[in-house]
Amino acid sequence: MKFGMIKAAACTPSIIVGDPSSNADRIIELIKKAAADGAELAVFPELCVTGYTCGDLFSQPLLIESAKEALKTIIRETAQLKMAAAVGLPFYYDHKLYNCAAVFSAGELLGIVPKKEIPNYGASNEMRHFTPAPKSVGAVRFGTEMVPFGRKVVFSCREMPLFRLGVEIGEDLWVPQPPSTELVAAGATIIANLSASDELVGRDTNRRSTVSGHSARLRCGYIYANAGEGESTTDLVFSGHNLIAENGNLISESLPFDGGYCLSEIDLETCINERRRMNTFPPLENADFQPVLFSLPPSETRLTRIIPKNPFVPDDPQKRKERCERILEIQSAGLQKRIEHVHTKTLLIGVSGGLDSTLALLVCVRAMQRLGRPMTDIVAVTMPGFGTTRRTKTNAVRLCEALGVTLREINITRTVKSHFRDLGHNPDQHDLLFENAQARERTQVLMDLSHQYNGFVVGTGDLSELALGWATYNGDHMSMYGVNASVPKTLVRHLVRYYAETSDNRQIQKTLRDILATPVSPELLPAEKGQISQLTESIIGPYELHDFFLFYLIRRGFSPEKVAFLAEHAFEELYDAHAINKWLKIFLRRFFNNQFKRSCLPDGPKIGTVSLSPRGSWQMPSDASAAAWLETL
């Protein structure tokens, strides 16, 4: 329950149709397994106490009463477990039979939720047996207690206010206005769906898209527990295909016919932060809904779900290729529009042989291809300085030649030395002035060349550098259009690799591969024996960590303490807690101290959900303090 996480299980017991007593034993066994695995919530299929496929046996009072007694046994035998659970059973209420979910915890029945939408088409003829849920919440006697009976009930945990459970059953999910939309508007953060969906060819794909899509629309956790082994196969077959989704992402699944048990942690803070961020998300409407409180002892949730090291980069190779292609399309389309609007004759870009300028150059090429213009309209300028190595300069030249762009070389060493003399600065003093003077001279060269060539300067800086302030103010920080401004460094690398893999030019492939293998460096300090002496990641920290911090602090809105917790899980084989804490503090200090650079950021295309543009994506005062964030570490 720590950090807003709830461990949930979707459980499909192997049942015997019409035998509630035996089914209770198997449900109890699975609840205990889920508890042993650390689950704080277990969800079971629709009518699992009796079996969904009982047919006209549902008209037998004996079966209904047996199911009620079985429920009492389940609640009693799991009373010592520190969790909540929902199981499906038929239940009488006001002389009508309802298809219900019983929600219980710590030996107490919390409430009974009846199914709203009763299907009566195709192979489903539930209307033959069951009545749709009444509109209002009533009460029903269970043992010596009166408990709520109705679909408008939200079960809320006292110890963790973020944990609010709403229940819908089977067909409820598939109608145009599912009950879960009202439940979420009433504050539910997790929806449990007790289902009995038969297996057909292609239906598993449909379930995945529906469940994940619904959790995205509702900004909630969604647990889908489906009927499986033991149900009658007279006409239908059930596979135990269970799903757990969070805010549009499928985080756990038991494949059809593969055991019917899946477990994962739902991050409720993610869901709540997303709702808070969207001003179009409906405000709470509790008028007709009855809250039911229950208690769970606080515990630290042990993570089993995968926390990706690179949240900006898909793990799946095919999805990664698709994302890279789409990003290049967005970047080049944005640049194309700017070219057309200002009627520019050329594009000016500084090339260093590094990753960022390489990607920006490739985007320029794509934009010109879209416009049907010659590559010679791109003027690439290499500007060697004190720290430029033969390797990076050679790669820059070879790439430009292979792409067919106009290449110019302007060595800035003499000009910068003259500048040092004007300032009275000792060139042997390799301080911040020594470095920034070179970056600003390069920008001045490009800006003045833009007049000479009747063009505009394309910026190369990336999102990670903007977050860290790793750019010279009015140096590489400035351009007339920054195509990489919302591309994090970890993604820049994959975009360049994708371009290499899809190019049919061997020289381009070879050069891009060597650029990818070159250490990241601004090359502002003199080289040592011809090798790069200034390694960015040894100074400011690993970009893979900083991009991780950036995503979870800015996109998810998590506390630094939670971000560190997630990073320790994601990078457990690479960095220890001390290293993560150290680099996170550096990230926070640099992020807060360098907002002034982002406040006057040039235009550039937004390619993902994280952007630091001051024109809407990220508005922050330049003199805000990081103290409150640092104090949590």
Side-chain angles (χ1 to χ4, degrees), residues 137-138 148 152-155 286 288-292:
V137 178
K152 294 186 175 183
V153 178
V154 176
F155 303 91
N286 294 312
D288 299 329
F289 283 78
Q290 181 171 331
V292 175

Side-chain angles (χ1 to χ4, degrees), residues 385-395 514 517-536:
F386 303 115
T388 303
T389 60
R390 181 178 179 182
R391 179 181 186 180
T392 54
K393 180 183 174 183
T394 299
N395 279 336
D514 196 60
T518 304
V520 177
S521 171
E523 291 193 317
L524 295 173
L525 297 180
E528 296 178 359
K529 298 180 181 180
Q531 300 298 314
I532 294 172
S533 64
Q534 188 181 20
L535 301 179
T536 298

